[in-house]
C-alpha cells in the first residue's frame, strides 16, 4: 500500500505541475490579448481621421473578437485555479473487452485537458465514462458513449481527498469505496451553505442525477436524504449533457424562502455552472396578479395558525387544499363562462345581427385569450359576417355601435368579487375571509389566479423556461400545481417529503402530487445521511416512518432537559451555546415553534451572546454561528447543533406541532438537545439529561 500511495503522490505532483504550466500559458495568452486589444484601441483612436468606414468597422470587429477570446481565457484561468485546489477525487482502471490492458481514469469536479499534450488528464464527474465510478464495484462494468454502450472490466477503484499538494485521504477497495469517504464527510462540521457532493454520490442518487429522459420527475425523499442537493446536481448534469440547447438562463427554481435560496446558492457555481434564477411562490403570485392584490405570505399564514388556535381558519385551509376544491373551482369557472356573455340582437343600419351569433362567436375564441382580445375578435368576426350576409360594408358609426354592443353583452364583476361569489355558489360563503388589513388569505391567492387563468387568460411570463425545479413539494396544493402546470410547459424536477409538511392543513400528500402530475415518474429516497444514528432514531419516535433507513454514523444521544423556570431554561441555552463556541463545529440553531417565541428567545439570549441572530421571513443570508428561527424557516437547512426549547406538552400538542417538532429535530447533524418546563411533549419519550 505504501508503494501505491507513493505512486499516487507522484502522479498528483505531475498533474499539479501540468496544471500550473497550463495556468502560466493561459496567463501569458491573456496578457497578449490584453496588449493586442489596447494596441488596436490606440490605433483606432489615433488614426480615426485617416481610416475609412470599412477599416473602422473591421478594427472594431477585431477588438470585439479579441475581447471575447480574452473572456474565454479568463473563464479558463478561473476553472484551472479551482482544479488546482483539488484536482480530482477518484480513480478507476477500466479495460474494454477489445483492449490489451486497462486504462486509468481520474474523476474530478471539473474536466482538465492538457492543451500542451492534447490529453484529457481529469474527467468531469458528469462525463459518461464517470458513471463507472458511481455505479459499479471492481468487476464487470458498462458505460454509454457516442458510439454506443462500452463494456469491460474495472480493475481498480480508488478514492481520494486532496487539498492543495497533499493527499489527505486515500481508500483503495474492491467494495463501494464511496461509503467509506461518505462516513468521513458526514462526520465533518457544517459549512455556511450547501456543499456539492460529487465525491460521495451514491448509486441510487446517481441514477436520478443522470436521468435525462424523464420529463417530469418527482423525488420523494426523507429528511436528510440529500434530495435538494441531488436536484441541483441533476441540473448541473443536464447543463453539461445538453450544453448546446440548455443554459442556466433556461432554468428556474421555486424555493420556499429567501434564506433557503441563499443556502443553496453556491452549489452550481462550485460545479462550474452559472447560478440559476430562484423565485418563491409569492413572487410567482405577485407577477401573475400584477401587484393589484395584497395577500399574506405562506410564512405569515403558518405563523398565524401557530400563534392562535382558529378552527375556522384551519377548516378554510383544509378545504382549499383538497383535490375536490380544484374540481369545484373548475366547474364554477365553466358556470361563469356560460353566464357572463349573453348575446343580444343588434340592428346596424336596418340590418339585424342576431344575439345567438354573438354567443357562437364568443365560444369559438380561445379561453386563454384575455377577455378584451376575445371581445375585440367577436366584433371583428361579426363585422365580416354582416359583410358576407348582406354585402354591406359597415360605416364608422356602425363599427363603433357594434363594438359598444359586444362590450355590453359581457357581464362580469371584478376578479375578487367573482372569486368571492364562488363560495356563495358553493353554499359556503363563510369559506372566504380576508386576512389582516384586508389582504387575501394565502390559501385564496392561487385559487384566484386559477380563476383568472380560466376566465381571462394569462400569457405566461415564464415561456423561456425549459426546466423547472419545485422544492418542498408537500407545501403546495392541487390548485397551485394546476396553476404551475399551465404556466410551465417544460421539464420539471419536483422534490420534497410528505412527512415534513409544516402546515398539514394546506399541504399535499405524495399521492395527491402524483395525481396532479399524472405524466410524472416518481422515485423514493429512504436513506438519511444528515443526522447521526442516535438523532435519527430519536426523531423516528416523534414521527415514525417505517421506510426510513439511517446511515450508521454514531454520536451523542439527544438530551431532553427539564428546567424549573423560564430563567433556568435561558441559562441552559446560554451554557450550551458556550459549549458550542468551545467546539470545532460551525453552526447552532435554536429552533422554536412560533416567530414570537423565536424573537423573545433571541432577545433574552442576546444579553449574554450578542452575536445570536434572529431569522424571519425577510432574512436573506444564513451564515454560520448561533441563530434562532422557527421550524418553518429551518426546513431544508442543516446545523451541527440544534436546541429545541419549550418542548412541552402545551407547546407541541397538535398534528401540526408533531410535524414541526420532527422538522426541528431532523435539522441536527451531530448534537440535539430539547428543554422543557413542566410536562414534556407527549411525542417525546423522556430521558434523563
Amino acid at each position: 500500500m505504501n508503494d501505491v500511495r507513493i505512486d499516487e503522490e507522484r502522479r498528483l505532483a505531475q498533474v499539479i505541475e501540468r496544471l500550473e504550466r497550463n495556468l502560466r500559458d493561459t496567463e501569458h495568452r491573456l496578457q497578449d490579448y490584453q496588449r493586442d486589444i489596447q494596441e488596436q484601441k490606440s490605433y483606432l483612436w489615433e488614426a480615426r481621421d485617416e481610416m475609412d468606414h470599412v477599416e473602422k468597422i473591421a478594427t472594431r470587429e477585431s477588438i470585439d473578437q479579441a475581447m471575447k477570446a480574452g473572456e474565454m481565457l479568463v473563464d479558463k484561468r478561473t476553472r484551472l485555479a479551482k482544479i488546482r485546489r483539488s484536482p480530482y477525487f477518484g480513480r478507476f482502471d477500466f479495460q474494454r473487452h477489445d483492449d490489451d490492458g486497462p486504462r486509468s481514469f481520474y474523476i474530478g469536479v471539473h474536466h482538465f485537458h492538457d492543451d500542451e499534450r492534447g490529453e484529457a488528464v481529469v474527467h468531469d464527474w458528469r462525463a459518461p465514462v464517470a458513471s463507472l465510478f458511481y455505479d459499479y464495484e471492481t468487476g464487470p462494468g458498462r458505460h454509454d458513449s457516442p458510439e454506443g454502450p462500452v463494456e469491460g472490466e474495472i480493475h481498480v477503484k480508488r478514492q481520494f481527498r486532496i487539498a492543495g499538494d497533499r493527499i489527505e485521504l486515500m481508500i483503495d477497495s474492491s467494495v463501494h469505496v464511496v461509503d467509506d469517504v461518505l462516513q468521513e464527510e458526514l462526520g465533518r462540521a457544517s459549512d455556511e451553505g450547501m456543499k456539492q457532493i460529487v465525491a460521495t454520490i451514491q448509486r441510487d442518487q446517481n441514477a436520478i442525477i443522470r436521468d435525462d429522459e424523464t420529463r417530469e420527475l418527482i423525488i420523494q425523499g426523507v429528511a436528510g436524504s440529500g434530495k435538494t442537493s441531488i436536484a441541483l446536481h441533476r441540473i448541473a448534469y443536464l447543463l453539461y449533457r445538453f450544453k448546446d440547447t440548455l443554459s442556466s438562463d433556461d432554468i428556474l427554481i421555486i424555493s420556499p424562502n429567501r434564506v433557503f435560496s441563499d443556502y443553496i446558492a453556491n452549489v452550481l457555481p462550485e460545479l462550474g455552472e452559472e447560478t440559476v434564477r430562484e423565485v418563491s411562490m409569492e413572487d410567482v403570485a405577485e407577477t401573475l396578479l400584477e401587484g393589484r392584490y395584497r395577500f399574506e405570505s405562506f410564512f405569515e399564514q403558518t405563523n398565524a395558525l401557530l400563534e392562535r388556535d382558529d378552527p375556522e381558519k384551519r377548516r378554510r385551509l383544509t378545504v382549499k387544499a383538497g383535490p375536490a376544491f380544484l374540481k369545484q373551482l373548475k366547474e364554477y369557472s365553466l358556470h361563469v363562462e356560460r353566464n357572463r356573455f349573453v348575446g343580444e340582437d343588434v340592428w346596424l343600419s336596418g340590418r339585424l345581427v342576431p344575439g345567438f351569433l354573438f354567443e357562437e362567436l364568443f365560444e369559438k375564441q380561445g379561453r386563454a385569450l384575455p377577455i378584451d382580445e376575445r371581445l375585440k375578435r367577436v366584433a371583428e368576426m361579426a363585422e365580416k359576417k354582416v359583410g358576407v350576409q348582406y354585402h354591406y360594408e359597415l360605416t364608422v358609426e356602425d363599427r363603433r355601435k357594434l363594438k359598444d354592443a359586444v362590450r355590453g353583452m359581457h357581464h362580469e364583476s371584478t376578479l375578487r368579487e367573482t372569486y368571492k361569489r364562488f363560495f356563495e355558489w358553493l353554499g359556503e360563503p363563510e369559506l372566504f375571509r380576508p386576512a389582516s388589513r384586508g389582504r387575501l388569505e394565502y390559501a385564496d391567492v392561487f385559487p384566484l389566479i386559477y380563476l383568472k387563468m380560466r376566465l381571462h387568460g394569462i400569457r405566461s411570463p415564464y415561456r423561456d423556461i425549459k426546466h423547472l425545479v419545485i422544492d418542498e413539494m408537500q407545501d403546495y396544493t392541487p390548485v397551485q400545481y394546476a396553476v404551475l402546470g399551465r404556466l410551465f410547459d417544460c421539464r420539471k424536477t419536483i422534490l420534497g417529503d410528505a412527512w415534513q409538511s409544516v402546515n398539514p392543513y394546506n399541504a399535499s400528500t405524495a399521492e395527491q402530487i402524483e395525481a396532479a402530475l399524472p405524466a410524472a415518474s416518481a422515485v423514493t429516497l429512504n436513506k438519511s445521511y444528515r443526522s447521526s444514528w442516535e438523532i435519527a432514531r430519536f426523531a423516528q419516535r416523534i414521527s415514525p416512518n417505517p421506510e426510513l433507513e439511517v446511515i450508521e454514523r454514531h454520536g451523542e444521544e439527544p438530551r431532553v432537559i427539564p428546567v424549573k423556570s423560564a430563567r433556568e431554561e435561558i441559562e441552559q441555552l446560554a451554557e450550551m451555546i458556550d459549549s458550542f463556541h468551545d467546539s470545532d463545529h460551525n453552526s447552532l440553531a435554536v429552533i422554536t415553534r412560533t416567530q414570537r417565541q423565536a424573537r423573545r428567545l433571541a432577545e433574552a439570549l442576546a444579553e449574554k451572546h450578542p452575536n445570536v441572530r434572529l431569522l424571519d421571513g425577510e432574512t436573506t443570508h444564513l451564515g454560520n454561528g448561533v441563530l434562532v428561527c422557527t421550524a418553518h424557516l429551518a426546513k431544508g437547512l442543516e446545523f451541527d447543533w440544534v436546541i429545541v426549547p419549550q418542548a412541552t406538552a402545551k407547546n407541541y400538542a397538535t398534528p401540526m406541532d408533531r410535524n414541526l417538532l420532527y422538522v426541528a429535530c431532523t435539522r441536527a447533524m451531530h448534537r440535539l438537545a430539547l428543554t422543557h418546563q413542566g410536562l414534556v411533549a407527549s411525542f417525546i419519550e423522556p430521558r434523563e439529561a
Side-chain angles (χ1 to χ4, degrees), residues 290-305:
E290 303 172 294
R292 296 179 183 175
Y293 297 87
R294 297 181 304 116
F295 54 85
E296 69 177 355
S297 67
F298 180 62
F299 174 78
E300 289 173 319
Q301 174 182 275
T302 302
N303 206 50
L305 277 173

Side-chain angles (χ1 to χ4, degrees), residues 252-304:
L252 182 70
I253 298 175
I254 296 182
S255 292
N257 54 60
R258 292 181 176 90
V259 172
F260 186 76
S261 296
D262 174 69
Y263 179 63
I264 66 173
N266 287 329
V267 176
L268 286 172
E270 280 186 19
L271 296 172
E273 300 295 345
E274 303 261 339
T275 56
V276 301
R277 192 164 29 133
E278 294 182 52
V279 297
S280 66
M281 285 297 277
E282 285 93 339
D283 294 330
V284 173
E286 191 72 31
T287 298
L288 297 179
L289 294 175
E290 303 172 294
R292 296 179 183 175
Y293 297 87
R294 297 181 304 116
F295 54 85
E296 69 177 355
S297 67
F298 180 62
F299 174 78
E300 289 173 319
Q301 174 182 275
T302 302
N303 206 50

Side-chain angles (χ1 to χ4, degrees), residues 424-473:
E424 297 170 4
W425 180 80
L426 281 179
E428 296 191 86
E430 71 278 2
L431 288 178
F432 182 80
R433 289 289 181 275
S436 61
R437 303 191 301 279
R439 298 175 301 167
L440 287 169
E441 283 192 328
Y442 181 75
D444 288 316
V445 174
F446 282 88
L448 184 82
I449 291 170
Y450 179 82
L451 202 60
K452 180 181 180 182
M453 285 180 157
R454 298 277 306 189
L455 297 179
H456 301 286
I458 290 179
R459 185 170 171 80
S460 174
Y462 306 105
R463 295 182 302 279
D464 57 329
I465 298 301
K466 297 179 181 177
H467 198 112
L468 177 69
V469 179
I470 304 172
D471 207 348
E472 301 296 348
M473 65 183 187

